[in-house]
């Protein structure tokens, strides 16, 4: 997705060889126009998958996911990272180790909002080692619902998450794939994009 790539090139800050900061449009301040385009792109890529629900994790997945949900006309549920006073219903829970924060969180959703008949599209801002994605998939499996695929805004292909999910047979659609963060530069995965274009 060209607009997203331009944003990453112009506004992304490389914190290390493995971490990219995109606080100006996705992780702190949010660019609504870009989120709308991202939502439209996810809706297009999953239009034949009969999605009934979108699932993400708070907080950075919510903006792109809500725009996709709006376009696909389905509800969005976000998993919570900590138990809230109001989240007292029967819960589905899973453990997720955070790559950026180096901590393990229990993520939860109410059983009310994930049902057996649901065909769930999982959306997240980044895909690194795949722990958040697998934790969300685990919640869907615990609800006996179906994961139809993963919509990822930025995949870092040099980490193992993408391979892990694809090797389990999941459809993974990433809007920008980063091959390396090297010498202060973001290198996109050209080969994959050329394949998509043909
Ligand atoms: P994973 O579970 O795939 O290892 O990591 C995905 C989660 O970690 C995402 O939900 C995202 O919040 C965070 N994350 C992983 N890598 C990065 C990164 O390079 N930059 C930012 N901003 N977040 C990241």
């Amino acid at each position: 997705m060209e607009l997203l790539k331009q944003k990453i090139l112009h506004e992304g800050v490389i914190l290390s060889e493995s971490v990219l900061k995109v606080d100006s449009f996705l992780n702190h301040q949010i660019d609504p126009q870009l989120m709308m385009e991202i939502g439209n792109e996810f809706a297009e890529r999953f239009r034949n998958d009969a999605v009934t629900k979108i699932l993400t994790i708070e907080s950075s997945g919510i903006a792109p996911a809500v725009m996709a949900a709006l376009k696909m006309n389905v509800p969005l549920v976000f998993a919570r990272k900590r138990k809230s006073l109001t989240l007292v219903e029967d819960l589905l829970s899973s453990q997720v180790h955070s790559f950026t924060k180096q901590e393990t969180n229990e993520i939860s959703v109410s059983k009310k909002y994930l049902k057996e008949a649901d065909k769930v599209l999982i959306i997240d801002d980044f895909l690194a080692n795949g722990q958040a994605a697998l934790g969300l998939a685990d919640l869907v499996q615990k609800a006996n619902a179906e994961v139809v695929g993963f919509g990822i805004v930025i995949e870092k292909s040099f980490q193992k998450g993408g391979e892990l999910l694809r090797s389990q047979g999941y459809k993974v659609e990433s809007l920008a794939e980063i091959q390396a963060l090297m010498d202060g530069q973001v290198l996109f995965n050209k080969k994959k994009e050329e394949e998509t274009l043909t």
Side-chain angles (χ1 to χ4, degrees), residues 18-21 27 97 99-100 124-132 156:
S18 61
V19 180
L20 177 70
K21 184 170 165 173
N27 289 149
H97 182 73
F99 164 81
T100 37
D124 204 5
D125 58 342
F126 273 88
L127 178 61
N129 293 307
Q131 294 310 297
K156 293 181 294 178

Side-chain angles (χ1 to χ4, degrees), residues 103-121:
E103 63 185 27
T104 299
N105 284 302
E106 187 174 48
I107 62 164
S108 312
V109 294
S110 164
K111 283 185 180 163
K112 250 205 272 194
Y113 302 122
L114 273 185
K115 296 289 188 197
E116 203 170 329
D118 277 323
K119 290 170 78 76
V120 183
L121 166 60

Side-chain angles (χ1 to χ4, degrees), residues 13 15-23 26-27 56-61 81 96-101 123-136 152 154 156 158-162 165 178 181:
V13 178
L15 291 187
S16 70
E17 285 194 347
S18 61
V19 180
L20 177 70
K21 184 170 165 173
V22 287
D23 276 10
L26 180 59
N27 289 149
T56 188
I57 183 166
E58 65 176 351
S59 53
S60 294
K81 284 182 183 159
V96 170
H97 182 73
S98 162
F99 164 81
T100 37
K101 297 190 184 127
I123 286 183
D124 204 5
D125 58 342
F126 273 88
L127 178 61
N129 293 307
Q131 294 310 297
L134 287 173
L136 290 167
I152 302 294
I154 303 171
K156 293 181 294 178
F158 55 89
Q159 290 173 304
K160 62 177 184 351
L165 297 179
I178 295 176
L181 298 170

